[in-house]
């Protein structure tokens, strides 16, 4: 069992930046992939980015080079640096993790709210 706790969500103006953090606890030794999803009001949950334990990264098309995912395997943490934020980035951001390189996500965090507004 893995527990994920996110932090870093906030209210930010368009064009601003935020850094989300997620720490994993529990059976973390086998985690292969950690990443981020988001869900905006009235919209389906969508994947933002993920990173393997070896450092391979995937980004959704809408990221457009504005976000960077990183991991600290020694601390069981994953980060999402978000720059040039837009109104459409407003959502609850969820940390996810799984043991297998591919497949469904095993663990989800509770989410952290990101609001982009002037």
């Amino acid at each position: 069992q893995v527990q994920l706790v996110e932090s870093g969500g906030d209210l930010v103006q368009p064009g601003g930046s935020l850094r989300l953090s997620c720490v994993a606890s529990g059976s973390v030794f086998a985690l292969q992939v950690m990443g981020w999803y988001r869900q905006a009001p009235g919209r389906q949950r969508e994947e933002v980015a993920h990173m393997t334990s070896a450092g391979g990264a995937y980004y959704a098309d809408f990221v457009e080079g504005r976000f960077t995912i990183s991991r600290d395997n020694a601390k069981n943490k994953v980060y999402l640096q978000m720059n040039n934020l837009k109104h459409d980035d407003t959502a609850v951001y969820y940390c996810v993790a799984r043991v297998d390189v591919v497949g469904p996500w095993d663990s989800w965090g509770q989410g952290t709210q990101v609001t982009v507004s002037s």
Side-chain angles (χ1 to χ4, degrees):
Q1 195 78 1
V2 173
Q3 293 79 44
L4 303 172
V5 178
E6 306 96 333
S7 61
D10 206 345
L11 170 65
V12 63
Q13 292 187 343
S17 297
L18 278 178
R19 187 192 193 208
L20 304 184
S21 299
C22 171
V23 59
S25 61
S27 302
V28 298
F29 60 91
L31 288 179
Q32 290 290 336
V33 190
M34 297 184 73
W36 295 91
Y37 269 67
R38 71 182 187 184
Q39 186 166 23
R43 300 180 65 174
Q44 288 189 337
R45 194 173 290 187
E46 58 185 354
E47 184 171 5
V48 179
H50 69 249
M51 177 170 276
T52 68
S53 57
Y58 157 84
Y59 294 95
D61 289 342
F62 62 77
V63 167
E64 299 175 324
R66 301 178 296 126
F67 299 174
T68 302
I69 190 170
S70 60
R71 283 180 69 168
D72 185 335
N73 293 327
K75 296 182 178 179
N76 301 313
K77 288 187 173 182
V78 63
Y79 306 95
L80 186 67
Q81 175 67 42
M82 302 187 294
N83 299 325
N84 191 21
L85 283 161
K86 306 175 181 179
H87 289 290
D88 287 348
D89 295 318
T90 296
V92 177
Y93 284 71
Y94 298 91
C95 181
V96 294
R98 64 176 181 237
V99 173
D100 295 325
V101 176
V102 295
W105 297 98
D106 302 314
S107 304
W108 291 75
Q110 292 298 308
T112 185
Q113 177 70 49
V114 172
T115 302
V116 184
S117 175
S118 53

